[in-house]
Amino acid sequence: MTERTTCLDPDPCDWRSRKIHVRPHRRYATIELDRDGYADTAKARGHAPELPTTYRNAVGRVRNASIDRIWYDDYQGNFFENDGPSWVTLSVPFTHVEATIETLRAAELDHDYSRLHALADRLELPVDAWLAPGERELVRGVDFDTTPNAFLRFLRGKAKKCGVRLNGRATVGSVWVRPTLSPFHKQLREQFPKRYPGWVDRWTGYIEPEDAPIRPWVGGRSQEFSYGATPVQFRAVEAPNGNDCPCGMKLHEPWEDDRTHTDHHTAWALGFRVPKNLMWLEDLAVVTSQSPIAWRKLAHQIARIPQRENRYDFNSWAHLGESEATPDNVRAYLLKANERVIGFLNAHDTEQHRGWDLADKSQYGDEDDTLRPRIGLVWVADVYRRQGVGAMLVRALADDFGCQVRDVSWSTPISDAGLRLARRLSPEGIWIS
């Protein structure tokens, strides 16, 4: 099947015409009704381009049934949905492409939505029957057509949405199922009926008939230890509801996957995992603005961790363009341990410093125009803090420049952790800039 476009309105077929685009994919085809120009023209003439509610409901039935059918055929991806007024998108199996085109044509030109409902009826799967209570064997070729493993995976997903535990097992040519409803999901749906409209408890109190088939025992658990259990009781208490994590992110953002926080928190706590494409010969690497782009990208990624933790406005490493020398010799020191970057120091060389004895509210000393290395930021992974890692990075900076640790300059303002590090390395005072 190749891509094609069909024009619904009579000639001339231009940008204002309604069109149907067919785009095949590996497991299904996307049928896209293009009403963009048609809707804009109707709106300019003072007409409402919105689709009727009956039209949208019929499209929704077809969409839900066709997506279930594609997942039933062992597709595990997601779909893009759109239901007007400018676009109507349906993902359907290849065998129903032509029928879908004709139903959309009838809905658009003749306002006949019965064909959409008829198509939805043909696509709908007997999920309710498959998830009915009771132990039984669903046979391939009789009850379902896809592979047993794919069918069992599909049923598990549908059962989860219903709050049902499937208790299923796939064999060579069949799938054994025994859907049951847990007391928790029963209580949840009874307490919040508005969340689950139309839900009916078909599983509680079900008694197996005497002639029910017996599932062959293949090892493992021989009994259900939660059968007849008493539901867990819940109490209302004032639980901590803080939403800030020490790593700098929220404990849960509605628009982000939990994986986003987990990955960032792991890097903040244990260090950033070293990319496999980098040849790291020693524990400490010095990255400059002229280093290969893979190293400069790594420095940028690591600098994002303290940026989020301390909520800085800008990333301390921004040299991601072409390789070029900087007049102040910008560089980053990356310390590796256990195949993770656990320490990061950003520095450059500069003049105009003042001495400070590190006493609270004391005045700065006279200006000094000696060229010194200046620390922009020091970060250490959480589990390695207070173990001398920050001091190791500062000493590496001083040795690399050819000066003493007390001659290193610190950028202001200095954080509390930075002050503790400075007092430990240079208790008599530091240079600031």
Side-chain angles (χ1 to χ4, degrees), residues 56-357:
R56 298 180 64 177
N57 291 341
V59 168
R61 280 200 63 205
V62 174
R63 177 181 293 113
N64 293 335
S66 62
I67 288 177
D68 276 352
R69 178 73 66 167
I70 297 170
W71 279 335
Y72 165 78
D73 288 331
D74 202 20
Y75 176 74
Q76 301 177 43
N78 295 318
F79 301 91
F80 173 78
E81 301 178 5
N82 205 330
D83 58 357
S86 298
W87 303 88
V88 175
T89 305
L90 293 172
S91 300
V92 300
F94 290 111
T95 53
H96 293 81
V97 168
E98 299 303 327
T100 304
I101 295 174
E102 292 304 317
T103 56
L104 287 176
R105 185 195 304 273
E108 277 292 314
L109 301 182
D110 304 329
H111 307 291
D112 181 6
Y113 311 130
S114 61
R115 294 191 181 185
L116 285 170
H117 288 289
L119 177 61
D121 292 337
R122 292 198 301 271
L123 286 169
E124 280 183 347
L125 296 167
V127 176
D128 289 342
W130 290 336
L131 296 182
E135 175 89 29
R136 61 194 179 282
E137 182 183 24
L138 302 175
V139 181
R140 184 180 186 182
V142 178
D143 300 295
F144 66 95
D145 298 319
T146 186
T147 62
N149 287 329
F151 180 57
L152 181 58
R153 184 164 46 246
F154 170 78
L155 279 186
R156 289 192 191 281
K158 302 302 291 186
K160 184 177 181 180
K161 290 183 178 180
C162 298
V164 173
R165 181 182 177 186
L166 191 62
N167 295 301
R169 179 171 62 85
T171 66
V172 175
S174 66
V175 170
W176 283 87
V177 296
R178 183 166 59 87
T180 57
L181 181 66
S182 70
F184 168 75
H185 286 287
K186 174 181 172 60
Q187 182 179 357
L188 181 67
R189 283 157 173 75
E190 289 178 348
Q191 286 184 347
F192 305 99
K194 293 183 178 180
R195 293 186 189 176
Y196 309 97
W199 179 81
V200 178
D201 184 3
R202 301 183 292 156
W203 301 271
T204 303
Y206 177 82
I207 301 176
E208 292 280 359
E210 295 182 357
D211 58 346
I214 299 177
R215 182 185 306 193
W217 186 74
V218 293
R221 293 185 301 176
S222 59
Q223 57 182 320
E224 174 58 65
F225 293 104
S226 292
Y227 181 76
T230 303
V232 173
Q233 300 297 317
F234 296 92
R235 299 289 184 268
V237 296
E238 291 293 332
N241 57 0
N243 199 29
D244 292 328
C245 182
C247 72
M249 294 190 68
K250 299 294 184 182
L251 291 176
H252 179 68
E253 293 285 11
W255 57 86
E256 287 185 342
D257 187 356
D258 288 341
R259 179 74 179 270
T260 304
H261 180 207
T262 301
D263 291 345
H264 174 77
H265 193 98
T266 303
W268 169 80
L270 304 180
F272 191 90
R273 186 173 294 278
V274 175
K276 295 182 179 180
N277 63 330
L278 293 182
M279 184 66 69
W280 202 308
L281 301 179
E282 300 291 346
D283 292 337
L284 185 67
V286 183
V287 180
T288 69
S289 59
Q290 294 178 289
S291 297
I293 186 60
W295 285 95
R296 288 183 280 135
K297 284 184 177 180
L298 176 61
H300 179 80
Q301 290 175 305
I302 297 169
R304 289 183 61 188
I305 302 175
Q307 179 188 3
R308 276 185 165 173
E309 177 182 358
N310 300 290
R311 293 175 172 83
Y312 296 142
D313 293 332
F314 303 101
N315 190 308
S316 60
W317 183 270
H319 301 277
L320 298 177
E322 295 182 0
S323 174
E324 58 180 359
T326 58
D328 54 353
N329 188 23
V330 174
R331 55 203 182 274
Y333 292 79
L334 310 181
L335 181 63
K336 182 190 71 167
N338 300 319
E339 298 306 316
R340 289 181 177 271
V341 181
I342 65 166
F344 170 82
L345 185 148
N346 186 9
H348 64 278
D349 301 335
T350 186
E351 301 172 348
Q352 298 181 349
H353 315 274
R354 288 179 179 271
W356 184 32
D357 59 7

